[in-house]
Amino acid sequence: MIIEIAKKEISDAFRNKLFLSILVMLLVLTIVSIILGSYQVKIAMDNYNNSISFLQSIGKAELPPMPKLNPISASKGFVNYIGMVGALLAIVLGNNAISKEHKNGTMKLILSRGVFRDTFLNGKLLGNLAILAGITVLTGIITFVALVAIGGVALTTYDVIRLLLFFGMSFLYMTFFTVLSMGIATVSTKGSRALLITVIVWLVLSFVLPQIGDTMDMDNQIPGGFFSSMGMSRDQEHQVLKQFKFYETLRDGVEEMSPTKHYERISYSLLNVKPGFEANTPLEVVGLKWINLLGLLSPSLAVWLLTYIAFLRRENIYQLN
């Protein structure tokens, strides 16, 4: 029964014009971002090869080493697109899963036909997760093909694993907003109101809280960075921040309330966009950023548990005893 509900959910999603519109937007942005990033890698490689050819033509024996390229950083634009468009896609997907049953009056009918509520919810979630997984796999394939075909680089085993883990984090991030949207739509019987509430929560979590954290960041008080402008080293910076431990803990706590911030932190580390993780293996990076992984997983589990409890207690709405 769960599988049948999931199949119907997938079929219904691809008949939703709003969902399809956002999906097309996400895919177009992804393709453009990856192609541009791959071209940047290709240009760097072409410049190096042209330099080597020129030096060899004039008889130079000592040739410069190949520059350290970071081809997987071509996906860094995808982080922003998932943070915005991907989250909206997940919100629409989760909202439609529940609100359409309220709107069509089929909720009571389905549950009166011997379908248990946990089966109903789990089938809905499974169908939505299958859609998100398919989108993640598709964007992953586009990335790998573009990097190899356009960028002209051979990805190392670690590069491949880092990209796979990155797309896994993207899937977990979208999963949270799907679960959140389903939860709010379950509590509110009006789909439009539930969608509006979910969007407001998304704006707070993804924009307001990170902005508060960035504003409170001491290093952001001066363009270019306060500590850099003062000529301080990294160790000196840490020494100064130790004097403001409570303030920094409060600021960091505000940021860590945002799943978007957790997604950005672990993604940039995996893609080597954030310095300091180049020498670590992909699994070591995940281990070092475990708090961010937990920040993606725990909200989804907590919201889903609350959704399940709320759904079981709504006998008066569905007139089931």
Side-chain angles (χ1 to χ4, degrees):
M1 184 63 70
I2 290 179
I3 299 298
E4 292 304 317
I5 294 174
K7 289 180 179 179
K8 183 180 183 301
E9 195 62 30
I10 295 172
S11 176
D12 289 346
F14 284 95
R15 288 197 293 265
N16 186 308
K17 294 182 179 179
L18 180 58
F19 167 76
L20 291 176
S21 299
I22 300 176
L23 176 59
V24 170
M25 183 189 303
L26 177 62
L27 292 178
V28 170
L29 290 172
T30 300
I31 293 172
V32 172
S33 173
I34 295 301
I35 289 177
L36 291 177
S38 300
Y39 265 115
Q40 290 178 351
V41 174
K42 183 179 185 300
I43 290 171
M45 287 293 297
D46 289 344
N47 289 338
Y48 172 74
N49 291 330
N50 291 335
S51 299
I52 293 298
S53 298
F54 173 74
L55 293 174
Q56 289 176 337
S57 67
I58 61 177
K60 292 290 185 179
E62 296 184 2
L63 302 176
M66 180 179 294
K68 292 183 178 180
L69 300 176
N70 182 21
I72 61 175
S73 67
S75 297
K76 64 183 178 181
F78 185 67
V79 176
N80 295 325
Y81 297 142
I82 286 294
M84 294 182 290
V85 183
L88 283 175
L89 180 77
I91 288 172
V92 171
L93 196 63
N95 177 266
N96 185 62
I98 303 298
S99 62
K100 69 173 182 280
E101 307 296 354
H102 288 307
K103 182 179 179 180
N104 297 331
T106 54
M107 182 75 76
K108 176 185 173 182
L109 178 62
I110 293 174
L111 296 178
S112 65
R113 295 297 178 88
V115 178
F116 295 106
R117 296 182 212 182
D118 57 345
T119 301
F120 176 78
L121 273 184
N122 290 333
K124 292 278 186 180
L125 180 62
L126 179 62
N128 287 333
L129 293 185
I131 294 172
L132 294 180
I135 294 171
T136 304
V137 170
L138 179 58
T139 52
I141 292 174
I142 293 172
T143 300
F144 282 107
V145 171
L147 285 175
V148 175
I150 299 175
V153 295
L155 297 175
T156 66
T157 301
Y158 279 168
D159 287 339
V160 173
I161 296 175
R162 280 176 178 266
L163 278 174
L164 290 176
L165 288 173
F166 160 65
F167 282 108
M169 300 305 152
S170 302
F171 170 77
L172 292 178
Y173 176 74
M174 290 189 292
T175 294
F176 166 72
F177 284 102
T178 295
V179 170
L180 177 67
S181 187
M182 289 180 65
I184 294 176
T186 298
V187 175
S188 175
T189 56
K190 291 185 178 180
S192 57
R193 181 174 60 189
L195 182 60
L196 177 61
I197 294 173
T198 309
V199 170
I200 292 174
V201 173
W202 166 65
L203 290 173
V204 171
L205 293 178
S206 299
F207 296 96
V208 177
L209 293 179
Q211 184 62 46
I212 293 174
D214 288 341
T215 303
M216 293 174 64
D217 193 343
M218 295 175 60
D219 200 35
N220 291 340
Q221 304 308 311
I222 296 178
F226 171 77
F227 296 109
S228 297
S229 65
M230 298 296 292
M232 292 184 179
S233 65
R234 181 67 67 177
D235 290 336
Q236 291 173 325
E237 178 182 337
H238 290 322
Q239 290 297 324
V240 172
L241 292 178
K242 284 182 180 179
Q243 305 301 317
F244 301 90
K245 186 175 181 180
F246 174 78
Y247 178 84
E248 280 297 302
T249 301
L250 178 62
R251 183 193 69 80
D252 197 51
V254 172
E255 286 191 339
E256 289 185 355
M257 292 171 63
S258 168
T260 303
K261 207 66 179 179
H262 287 293
Y263 171 61
E264 289 178 353
R265 288 177 176 178
I266 195 169
S267 294
Y268 287 146
S269 299
L270 285 169
L271 296 175
N272 285 331
V273 175
K274 184 176 182 180
F277 297 92
E278 299 85 356
N280 298 106
T281 65
L283 293 181
E284 286 175 345
V285 173
V286 174
L288 291 170
K289 307 298 288 185
W290 66 270
I291 189 68
N292 301 125
L293 177 59
L294 186 63
L296 290 175
L297 284 172
S298 56
S300 297
L301 295 175
V303 172
W304 187 245
L305 178 61
L306 292 174
T307 300
Y308 184 74
I309 293 174
F311 193 58
L312 290 181
R313 291 182 175 180
R314 295 182 71 84
E315 292 89 354
N316 57 326
I317 291 181
Y318 305 122
Q319 298 179 4
L320 290 174
N321 297 315

